[in-house]
């Protein structure tokens, strides 16, 4: 059972700094794709807008209504997303999921900022919120690529 001290450690200063400084925290005017995801367990929600050029994210916007852990994950995603292709995003998403659920390694750069969320491994009820932004981003890029090629 988690103690108050464990929760204080979980919400480290670095996590709170990331949560307070989320990049691309505005919606795009004309996105190629928009995905909204919500965690039914905690109510956290993110809406992600993307534009893709030459298979890579060229513009990104997000609206984040999540706990500090979800906000920190959105911050790491926002800092790394521009210039990434779908394969890189899927690798980051899968690595983050494995890091949380299977004690896997930290995702590779430029997504290595997810390392700050290692203490959340023991809080399974927080995993969905942490994964929301990267999952929504993968879905949005996939949708943008499909609609562009259709």
């Amino acid at each position: 059972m988690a103690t108050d001290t464990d929760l204080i450690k979980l919400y480290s200063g670095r996590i709170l700094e990331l949560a307070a400084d989320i990049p691309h925290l505005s919606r795009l005017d004309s996105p190629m794709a928009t995905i909204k995801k919500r965690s039914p367990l905690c109510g956290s929600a993110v809406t992600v807008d993307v534009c893709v050029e030459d298979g890579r994210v060229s513009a990104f916007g997000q609206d984040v209504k999540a706990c500090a852990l979800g906000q920190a994950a959105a911050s790491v995603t926002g800092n790394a997303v521009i210039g990434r292709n779908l394969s890189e995003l899927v690798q980051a998403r899968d690595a983050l999921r494995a890091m949380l659920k299977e004690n896997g390694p930290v995702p590779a750069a430029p997504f290595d900022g997810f390392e700050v969320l290692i203490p959340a491994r023991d809080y399974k009820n927080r995993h969905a919120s942490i994964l929301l932004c990267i999952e929504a981003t993968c879905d949005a890029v996939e949708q943008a690529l499909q609609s562009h090629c259709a």
Side-chain angles (χ1 to χ4, degrees), residues 2-16 68-69 116-123 125-126 130:
T3 66
D4 288 344
T5 304
D6 292 334
L7 285 174
I8 290 168
K9 287 180 192 172
L10 179 61
Y11 289 95
S12 71
R14 182 67 184 129
I15 286 174
L16 297 177
L69 297 173
V116 72
L117 295 161
I118 286 175
R121 285 176 170 160
D122 296 334
Y123 299 89
N125 60 333
R126 303 287 204 264
I130 291 168

Side-chain angles (χ1 to χ4, degrees), residues 21-100:
D21 191 24
I22 303 172
H24 308 288
L25 199 54
S26 59
R27 304 284 307 277
L28 299 180
D29 290 332
S30 300
M32 292 173 69
T34 298
I35 296 290
K36 181 174 184 174
K37 285 201 170 272
R38 183 179 169 280
S39 168
L41 187 62
C42 66
S44 290
V46 299
T47 303
V48 168
D49 297 326
V50 298
C51 290
V52 177
E53 288 181 28
D54 298 322
R56 296 189 175 277
V57 177
S58 59
F60 179 79
Q62 58 184 339
D63 181 32
V64 181
K65 306 281 191 259
C67 66
L69 297 173
Q71 291 175 29
S75 185
V76 172
T77 301
N79 278 316
V81 69
I82 300 295
R84 303 295 144 231
N85 64 34
L86 181 59
S87 176
E88 292 168 308
L89 293 165
V90 167
Q91 287 174 0
R93 178 200 64 201
D94 293 350
L96 176 59
R97 185 179 293 131
M99 181 188 90
L100 292 171

